[in-house]
Amino acid sequence: MRLITEVASAAGIHEEHLELYGKYKSKLSPSLWDELKHKQDGKLVLVTAMNPTPAGEGKTLTTIGLSQALNAAGVKTVAALREPSLGPTLGMKGGATGGGKAQIVPADEINLHFTGDIHAVTSAHNLLSAMIDNHIFQGNLLGLDPQRIVWKRVMDMNDRSLRSIVTGLGDGNGPVRESGFQITTASEIMAVLCLCDGLADLKKRLSRMLVGYDQLGQPVTAKDIGAVEAMAALLKEAVKPNLVQTLEGTPVIVHGGPFANIAHGCSSVIGTRYALKLGDVVVTEAGFGADLGAEKFMDIKCRQAGLTPAAAVLVVTVKSLKYNGGVRKDELHTANRAALLSGLSNMERHIENLGKFGVPVLVALNHFEGDAPSEINDVLEACRRLGVPAAVSKVWAEGGAGGLELAMELKKLLEQGEGQPAAFAPLYEDNLDIPAKINTIVTEIYRGAEVAFSPAAKRSLGIIEKLGLHQLQVCMAKTPYSFSDQPRLLGAPEGFTLGVRDITLSLGAGFAVIITGNIVTMPGLPAKPAAEGIQVDLDGVINGLE
Amino acid sequence: MRLITEVASAAGIHEEHLELYGKYKSKLSPSLWDELKHKQDGKLVLVTAMNPTPAGEGKTLTTIGLSQALNAAGVKTVAALREPSLGPTLGMKGGATGGGKAQIVPADEINLHFTGDIHAVTSAHNLLSAMIDNHIFQGNLLGLDPQRIVWKRVMDMNDRSLRSIVTGLGDGNGPVRESGFQITTASEIMAVLCLCDGLADLKKRLSRMLVGYDQLGQPVTAKDIGAVEAMAALLKEAVKPNLVQTLEGTPVIVHGGPFANIAHGCSSVIGTRYALKLGDVVVTEAGFGADLGAEKFMDIKCRQAGLTPAAAVLVVTVKSLKYNGGVRKDELHTANRAALLSGLSNMERHIENLGKFGVPVLVALNHFEGDAPSEINDVLEACRRLGVPAAVSKVWAEGGAGGLELAMELKKLLEQGEGQPAAFAPLYEDNLDIPAKINTIVTEIYRGAEVAFSPAAKRSLGIIEKLGLHQLQVCMAKTPYSFSDQPRLLGAPEGFTLGVRDITLSLGAGFAVIITGNIVTMPGLPAKPAAEGIQVDLDGVINGLE
């Protein structure tokens, strides 16, 4: 590992703009922005994926490896990534810092507490929660309806027992009511932190956040509760982006980590902006497959921040192609050409979809040991037939060197676009109403036939109507495994009905969350949690985190 | 503020041993210990207090100011303090970094997230909680009795609604059971962090922590749950002491912050040990008045860590003397000589008690604007009569300069003890049984006549007997306002019966918690929380935190 001061220096950042957290992590001071803001932006590249297997297809890995490869190819590149959450790290998935030779470091520290940003979100969120119940307890001057409080509590942990709880039991312990915890990454404050462009915008967004309704049905916000300034004080360091490096010394900004279902699943706007000033190319990612991740990246993050993506890299794997062709997850290591060819329909659909945003696409076949040469050929041949550039990526095994072909293809694609006006446009117009926005996504991206709203969702639409909130974007909360709301409807389904179970309002983030199927915002632990496999020796060296 | 690298350098710490958190905070690397461990220890001075008014008497302020004054007087001094908790900071009391000209800085950062130690304790604690419920959910191989789980959850927030809750409601969300949250500083992990002497001892103590009982009534520990190593990984940075400075550049180690009722209320053993190697004198504090704070400091912290205190400074104020003489808290600013003279009985009792530990005492009269010269004279005259050195401390208004007289008196006291064998001894022997230990404290320190155990406490004594746990120390959880368990029994009461309501086991910390009266381990917010008075401007400068 190089000292972070050296990584920063190589990226053109003077030491006075660093706020060090040990020798290998640093926050970037707002003073750096004053120096950078007049520079021209680099090109923004989104790494997204086809519909995944439960193990994931390696978007973070590819983002890291591609940034290493571009630098190795002489293109000054910065990666912009999300921060790992303790819940999955200690639960099922393990860390989120890449793997093999395509990793960001210090991985253990990034995976655990990092620079405390997620803890700060937890604190700010739960301060508001405590102040809401305290407001009711102290006399309820605002006339809050205890049955209609929508603001829950959060914890950065996978703890299913906290999903649904009753609080305030016992004498003098506040109003008795049903409530629950979400994982911190599902907090609206995390979404707000990632979409704001600075402390002033952060405060505006925190002020707007809906906490519940009063007894007349009027919305009550965080501002009404009087919590905004104290929350902003708790978040004032968290709003600064974090700088770390890849195993090959590439500068990486790791900042923010909203859930990819009830939030937009992208790293922070602030971090992306810093990265665009520091790199000629910025490689970033969005959660889940392109149906969710890329759509929200384009329609929410890029729209709100005025960003223009220059290209999208679609990560596919032989495994996920077979999975989408109907193979069960425990049989994915066996060759099955028919399934692979059938699963290509999923890849093709995503390529087509990305085109609808006006963004050129490159396919990255993330190579796994055991992929047969014939399987790889089938994928590359399909891409040729579709007229889409593609390359095999071996960044796990080889680091940047294993991504050189992908980097060269991307360079070519970006050069083709040079000098031409950007064709990028979000999918739907801001002035459409909420049902029309949902319908556009369902028919254009998911290829469903229609949308069915539950009674609860219809009630929510009524509130949206009454409050005049149609300018909100829509944030789809849907299974990542299928284009539809049914996890087992794989490949490229059509003609299905998408059921909307509920709609919630994230007024600070600026979107309505469209809840389809059974979306869990507080994961549980598996029978053998990842935590059980972690050890720390007496020198503080951690094993088993990755 | 000087750069923390400069403060460290002046204290003899080379930069290679620093792990910086920004420019003004640093963790001390274990490598520093290897360099320091063979040096001779400085002298350890405890700052404690008489029974306080609800506003507190300024122990932290005096500790900081005295360390400034000693340095100004040419004595190389380091202060060792507790870390502030977000609950009181955002709730009722405000920050805990001193005040006026006797402060530690950067105060805002220390009062908010600091270096993340308390967040790490929260995460480690709640990981264990989640793994306990998950263990039951996944089949309950250990046969845990869901009704006898003693391990709750924690949050670093004042949130009364979480005191008593029902978790696991709804389909597939784990066992339905009654539970609750404590504030993080009440977590046994905080006590363990503060009593351990390093990572190896930390793990041993975490392993021993009691989480509940199985269906046969046998204890189940954190080790049985399989959470120890992952908790230690989460705590591996938190175990390193933090270095900051006073407004006058005195080095201060701020590390750990256990509750002063259900825990021992002292800063960490590790931090104290580093401080003793760095300073010729170390000034430290313990929570609440001397009946609780000093007793636990001597009987728990010093005993477990093998520390020998060289002197105790007893903080008194004109207000607390009048309060103990029967004046109501809203009338403390009016002169009342009779009450003041009557309240001296409380001071006298504490002086006598401290003598029982073999530790010489110095009285610090913490000066408030409005204290009449005649009131001050009455206090100093009483000390003269008792043969106890005393000095007026004006460190709030004047910083170190306002504590010079106190510093000179302390210097004299320490010099008197030089060359003589230390007379220090804990109050009770380790081999007494638990009721006898309680009885010793109640009769010798509190001056009660007897102890009455509730049926629940008797059941707990039965378990202690059965499990052979008499070697534990006792950690008294009692109101800080009175020597007795009745907050309004002020002055120097005698002959009362102390009621023990319950006894809980902190096997990792090594003590049994003796619960008297109604001890709240999750505070609530007042009608106007301190959070409402906090603002942050667009440059990130916080107002209203102190």
Side-chain angles (χ1 to χ4, degrees):
Chain A
M1 256 190 293
R2 292 158 70 192
L3 291 174
I4 198 65
T5 46
E6 291 172 22
V7 174
S9 171
I13 304 170
H14 192 273
E15 197 163 338
E16 67 180 305
H17 302 305
L18 298 182
E19 299 176 8
L20 297 176
Y21 283 64
K23 296 180 172 66
Y24 305 104
K25 299 169 288 177
S26 183
K27 283 207 168 273
L28 299 177
S29 164
S31 62
L32 177 61
W33 184 249
D34 295 332
E35 198 170 272
L36 294 177
K37 62 185 174 194
H38 303 295
K39 290 182 70 174
Q40 214 193 323
D41 277 354
K43 288 175 182 157
L44 183 58
V45 175
L46 173 71
V47 174
T48 183
M50 63 181 291
N51 289 101
T53 68
E57 303 324 304
K59 285 191 306 292
T60 303
L61 178 85
T62 304
T63 306
I64 296 166
L66 177 56
S67 74
Q68 291 173 328
L70 283 162
N71 274 295
V75 182
K76 195 178 171 192
T77 303
V78 177
L81 292 173
R82 290 171 293 169
E83 299 184 39
S85 154
L86 279 180
T89 297
L90 301 170
M92 182 101 77
K93 281 191 94 168
T97 47
K101 292 190 174 169
Q103 285 192 49
I104 52 172
V105 284
D108 292 345
E109 294 178 30
I110 297 170
N111 279 318
L112 295 179
H113 308 292
F114 199 23
T115 58
D117 295 342
I118 299 184
H119 291 313
V121 171
T122 304
S123 295
H125 186 114
N126 291 335
L127 172 64
L128 178 54
S129 312
M131 287 176 77
I132 293 167
D133 274 313
N134 187 56
H135 181 88
I136 299 172
F137 179 82
Q138 302 282 359
N140 199 6
L141 209 68
L142 292 169
L144 264 168
D145 181 349
Q147 305 309 314
R148 290 192 71 195
I149 291 168
V150 297
W151 192 260
K152 297 185 171 186
R153 287 177 178 80
V154 296
M155 186 185 281
D156 189 23
M157 199 58 67
N158 286 7
D159 191 348
R160 72 171 66 72
S161 282
L162 293 178
R163 282 175 192 155
S164 179
I165 65 177
V166 171
T167 58
L169 297 169
D171 189 27
N173 293 341
V176 177
R177 60 185 191 86
E178 284 182 60
S179 188
F181 278 73
Q182 303 175 309
I183 190 164
T184 301
T185 50
S187 165
E188 185 182 349
I189 295 178
M190 180 59 91
V192 158
L193 185 77
C194 288
L195 286 168
C196 77
D197 65 12
L199 209 43
D201 187 32
L202 176 75
K203 287 199 212 179
K204 267 190 236 163
R205 289 173 179 268
L206 293 175
S207 300
R208 292 201 303 257
M209 294 189 313
L210 180 72
V211 303
Y213 298 89
D214 68 15
Q215 274 133 7
L216 304 171
Q218 292 301 306
V220 177
T221 65
K223 187 181 179 188
D224 298 327
I225 301 295
V228 173
E229 288 286 328
M231 287 194 288
L234 285 165
L235 295 165
K236 82 179 178 70
E237 299 302 314
V239 87
K240 301 174 186 168
N242 309 293
L243 181 69
V244 291
Q245 62 188 302
T246 70
L247 282 177
E248 297 177 11
T250 317
V252 182
I253 289 179
V254 179
H255 194 220
F259 237 36
N261 50 36
I262 68 160
H264 60 295
C266 309
S267 68
S268 81
V269 164
I270 294 177
T272 306
R273 287 198 174 155
Y274 274 76
L276 285 167
K277 299 298 184 191
L278 294 168
D280 293 331
V281 171
V282 171
V283 189
T284 190
E285 55 161 354
F288 294 157
D291 51 329
L292 285 163
E295 187 271 311
K296 294 182 192 188
F297 176 81
M298 312 282 186
D299 281 329
I300 298 176
K301 178 175 174 176
C302 289
R303 182 198 310 252
Q304 289 197 16
L307 298 170
T308 304
V313 174
L314 184 75
V315 178
V316 307
T317 62
V318 167
K319 279 183 189 170
S320 62
L321 289 165
K322 287 193 274 193
Y323 187 71
N324 272 282
V327 175
R328 284 171 36 186
K329 70 174 173 179
D330 45 0
E331 286 168 8
L332 289 173
H333 44 274
T334 351
N336 186 332
R337 189 171 190 217
L340 179 101
L341 294 176
S342 156
L344 285 166
S345 63
N346 186 271
M347 175 183 87
E348 189 176 341
R349 169 82 56 89
H350 284 294
I351 292 170
E352 227 179 274
N353 283 349
L354 287 164
K356 295 189 180 183
F357 295 96
V359 175
V361 186
L362 164 63
V363 169
L365 176 56
N366 181 23
H367 184 265
F368 279 69
E369 224 184 323
D371 288 354
S374 62
E375 292 176 318
I376 294 169
N377 273 338
D378 281 337
V379 181
L380 296 178
E381 177 54 36
C383 291
R384 263 193 297 277
R385 221 172 41 238
L386 294 165
V388 174
V392 177
S393 170
K394 296 186 171 182
V395 297
W396 192 93
E398 298 170 18
L404 277 179
E405 200 190 324
L406 184 68
M408 297 319 290
E409 288 292 339
L410 178 62
K411 212 176 147 192
K412 231 190 292 170
L413 199 65
L414 293 173
E415 280 162 5
Q416 282 166 15
E418 264 168 24
Q420 296 173 30
F424 168 70
L427 187 76
Y428 54 81
E429 300 287 334
D430 266 330
N431 57 10
L432 287 182
D433 67 17
I434 300 287
K437 286 172 182 165
I438 300 170
N439 204 57
T440 306
I441 294 171
V442 171
T443 54
E444 296 280 315
I445 302 290
Y446 304 166
R447 318 292 175 95
E450 54 173 4
V451 182
F453 292 95
S454 75
K458 283 181 186 160
R459 271 196 304 277
S460 297
L461 284 174
I463 292 172
I464 288 169
E465 186 77 33
K466 196 179 109 187
L467 300 176
L469 295 173
H470 279 299
Q471 84 289 355
L472 295 172
Q473 280 117 47
V474 294
C475 180
M476 304 299 294
K478 179 181 73 68
T479 174
Y481 297 115
S482 168
F483 277 108
S484 76
D485 55 354
Q486 301 152 59
R488 290 177 186 191
L489 202 52
L490 303 177
E494 281 183 16
F496 55 85
T497 297
L498 187 102
V500 174
R501 195 164 56 82
D502 203 356
I503 299 178
T504 63
L505 295 171
S506 292
L507 300 182
F511 50 66
V513 182
I514 314 304
I515 298 171
T516 74
N518 192 22
I519 298 299
V520 174
T521 58
M522 173 51 99
L525 289 171
K528 190 166 170 55
E532 288 185 22
I534 293 170
Q535 293 97 34
V536 56
D537 71 19
L538 296 186
D539 293 325
V541 177
I542 294 176
N543 284 302
L545 198 59
E546 198 51 40
Chain B
M1 256 190 291
R2 292 157 72 193
L3 292 175
I4 198 64
T5 46
E6 291 172 22
V7 174
S9 170
I13 304 171
H14 193 274
E15 199 164 339
E16 67 181 305
H17 301 305
L18 297 181
E19 299 176 9
L20 297 176
Y21 282 65
K23 295 181 173 65
Y24 305 104
K25 297 169 288 176
S26 182
K27 284 206 168 271
L28 300 177
S29 163
S31 62
L32 177 60
W33 185 250
D34 295 333
E35 198 169 272
L36 294 177
K37 62 185 173 194
H38 303 295
K39 291 183 69 176
Q40 214 193 323
D41 277 355
K43 288 174 183 156
L44 182 59
V45 175
L46 173 71
V47 174
T48 184
M50 64 181 289
N51 290 99
T53 69
E57 303 325 304
K59 281 189 309 290
T60 303
L61 177 84
T62 304
T63 306
I64 297 167
L66 177 56
S67 74
Q68 291 174 329
L70 283 163
N71 273 294
V75 182
K76 195 177 172 194
T77 303
V78 177
L81 292 173
R82 289 169 295 168
E83 299 184 39
S85 153
L86 278 179
T89 298
L90 301 170
M92 182 99 80
K93 281 191 94 168
T97 48
K101 291 189 173 167
Q103 286 192 47
I104 51 171
V105 285
D108 292 347
E109 293 177 32
I110 297 170
N111 278 317
L112 295 179
H113 308 294
F114 199 24
T115 57
D117 295 342
I118 299 184
H119 291 313
V121 171
T122 304
S123 295
H125 186 115
N126 291 334
L127 171 65
L128 178 54
S129 312
M131 288 176 77
I132 292 167
D133 274 314
N134 186 57
H135 181 87
I136 299 173
F137 180 83
Q138 303 282 358
N140 198 7
L141 208 66
L142 291 168
L144 263 169
D145 181 350
Q147 305 310 313
R148 291 193 71 194
I149 292 170
V150 297
W151 193 259
K152 296 185 171 188
R153 288 177 177 80
V154 297
M155 185 184 281
D156 188 24
M157 197 59 67
N158 285 7
D159 190 348
R160 72 171 65 73
S161 282
L162 294 178
R163 282 175 193 155
S164 178
I165 65 177
V166 171
T167 57
L169 297 168
D171 191 25
N173 293 340
V176 177
R177 60 185 191 87
E178 283 183 61
S179 188
F181 278 72
Q182 303 176 308
I183 190 164
T184 301
T185 49
S187 165
E188 186 182 347
I189 295 178
M190 180 60 90
V192 158
L193 186 76
C194 288
L195 287 169
C196 77
D197 65 12
L199 210 43
D201 188 32
L202 176 74
K203 286 199 212 179
K204 267 189 238 166
R205 289 172 179 268
L206 293 174
S207 301
R208 292 201 302 257
M209 294 190 312
L210 180 73
V211 303
Y213 299 88
D214 68 15
Q215 274 133 7
L216 303 171
Q218 291 302 308
V220 176
T221 65
K223 187 181 180 189
D224 298 326
I225 301 295
V228 173
E229 288 287 328
M231 286 195 288
L234 285 165
L235 294 166
K236 80 180 180 73
E237 298 303 314
V239 88
K240 301 175 186 169
N242 308 294
L243 181 71
V244 292
Q245 63 187 302
T246 71
L247 283 177
E248 297 177 10
T250 318
V252 182
I253 289 179
V254 179
H255 193 220
F259 238 36
N261 50 36
I262 68 159
H264 60 294
C266 308
S267 68
S268 80
V269 164
I270 294 177
T272 306
R273 287 198 173 154
Y274 274 76
L276 286 168
K277 298 299 182 190
L278 294 168
D280 293 330
V281 171
V282 171
V283 188
T284 191
E285 54 161 357
F288 293 156
D291 51 328
L292 285 163
E295 186 270 312
K296 294 182 192 187
F297 176 80
M298 312 280 185
D299 281 330
I300 298 176
K301 178 175 172 176
C302 290
R303 182 198 310 251
Q304 288 198 16
L307 298 170
T308 303
V313 174
L314 184 75
V315 179
V316 308
T317 64
V318 167
K319 280 183 188 169
S320 62
L321 289 165
K322 286 193 274 192
Y323 187 72
N324 272 282
V327 175
R328 285 172 31 187
K329 69 173 172 182
D330 45 0
E331 286 168 7
L332 289 173
H333 45 274
T334 350
N336 187 332
R337 191 174 188 216
L340 179 98
L341 295 178
S342 157
L344 285 167
S345 63
N346 186 270
M347 176 184 86
E348 190 176 340
R349 168 83 55 91
H350 284 294
I351 292 170
E352 227 180 272
N353 283 348
L354 287 164
K356 296 190 180 182
F357 295 96
V359 175
V361 185
L362 164 65
V363 169
L365 176 57
N366 181 22
H367 184 265
F368 278 70
E369 226 184 322
D371 287 353
S374 62
E375 291 175 319
I376 294 168
N377 273 337
D378 281 337
V379 181
L380 296 178
E381 177 54 36
C383 292
R384 261 192 300 275
R385 222 172 40 237
L386 294 165
V388 174
V392 177
S393 170
K394 297 188 170 180
V395 298
W396 191 92
E398 299 170 17
L404 276 180
E405 200 189 325
L406 185 68
M408 296 319 291
E409 289 292 338
L410 178 62
K411 211 175 148 193
K412 230 189 294 171
L413 199 64
L414 293 174
E415 280 162 6
Q416 282 166 15
E418 264 168 25
Q420 295 175 29
F424 167 71
L427 187 75
Y428 53 82
E429 300 287 335
D430 267 328
N431 58 8
L432 287 181
D433 66 16
I434 299 288
K437 287 172 181 165
I438 300 170
N439 204 59
T440 306
I441 294 171
V442 171
T443 54
E444 297 281 314
I445 302 292
Y446 303 168
R447 319 291 175 98
E450 53 172 6
V451 183
F453 293 95
S454 75
K458 283 182 188 160
R459 271 196 302 277
S460 297
L461 285 175
I463 292 171
I464 288 168
E465 186 77 33
K466 196 178 109 189
L467 299 177
L469 295 173
H470 278 299
Q471 84 289 357
L472 295 172
Q473 280 116 48
V474 295
C475 179
M476 303 300 293
K478 180 182 72 69
T479 174
Y481 297 116
S482 168
F483 277 107
S484 76
D485 55 354
Q486 301 153 58
R488 294 183 181 184
L489 202 52
L490 303 178
E494 282 182 15
F496 54 86
T497 297
L498 188 102
V500 174
R501 195 165 56 81
D502 204 355
I503 299 177
T504 63
L505 295 172
S506 292
L507 300 183
F511 50 66
V513 183
I514 314 304
I515 297 171
T516 75
N518 193 21
I519 298 300
V520 174
T521 57
M522 172 51 100
L525 288 171
K528 190 166 170 55
E532 287 185 23
I534 293 171
Q535 295 97 34
V536 56
D537 71 18
L538 296 185
D539 294 323
V541 177
I542 293 176
N543 284 302
L545 197 58
E546 199 52 39

